[in-house]
Amino acid sequence: MTDQRSFARTVIALSLAVIACCALTFTIMLLAGSPAVQPQRVLDQDALARAVLNNVNSADFAKPPTIDDVSCPASIPVETGREFECKVIGVGDGHRSGNAWVKVKIKDDQGDLSLG
């Protein structure tokens, strides 16, 4: 009976040691900034909208559009080469619709953009 208690204590002690090592490893990875636990980087929506707005020709609109008139997809991950379109909704003058589409391409992993 003493051998069974000794064995059970040994198993419990080893289990606790393994759990402690796992917790320590996770904590070190978290503090070191491991890529496995960092959230994915996304484009700043306000900066994106300003860049798109600066790229459109205001002459295409009866009333110059504002940042609130820019519609881009939300939460775009920063991935080199990724392409998407943003829409600028404005007021037309009868000859023009007042809407514009701007093609956006992410140039590098820093989030630099190419607009066209």
Side-chain angles (χ1 to χ4, degrees):
M1 184 117 155
T2 306
D3 288 340
Q4 288 178 344
R5 286 184 192 163
S6 176
F7 178 74
R9 286 183 188 146
T10 303
V11 168
I12 291 172
L14 285 174
S15 298
L16 290 174
V18 168
I19 291 170
C21 286
C22 290
L24 181 63
T25 301
F26 178 75
T27 303
I28 290 171
M29 289 176 63
L30 186 65
L31 293 175
S34 171
V37 293
Q38 288 184 346
Q40 188 174 28
R41 291 178 44 224
V42 295
L43 292 176
D44 178 288
Q45 288 298 114
D46 288 336
L48 175 59
R50 281 191 300 276
V52 168
L53 192 59
N54 289 335
N55 190 268
V56 297
N57 184 359
S58 294
D60 292 340
F61 301 90
K63 178 184 130 216
T66 66
I67 198 165
D68 294 329
D69 298 323
V70 178
S71 174
C72 294
S75 302
I76 299 291
V78 177
E79 297 171 351
T80 302
R82 186 179 188 103
E83 294 182 359
F84 57 94
E85 288 186 334
C86 293
K87 185 175 183 179
V88 181
I89 303 168
V91 178
D93 63 2
H95 300 291
R96 299 180 186 97
S97 69
N99 297 326
W101 287 94
V102 177
K103 189 172 187 174
V104 181
K105 182 176 182 178
I106 300 175
K107 294 193 303 186
D108 57 30
D109 62 352
Q110 298 301 311
D112 292 326
L113 304 174
S114 169
L115 296 109

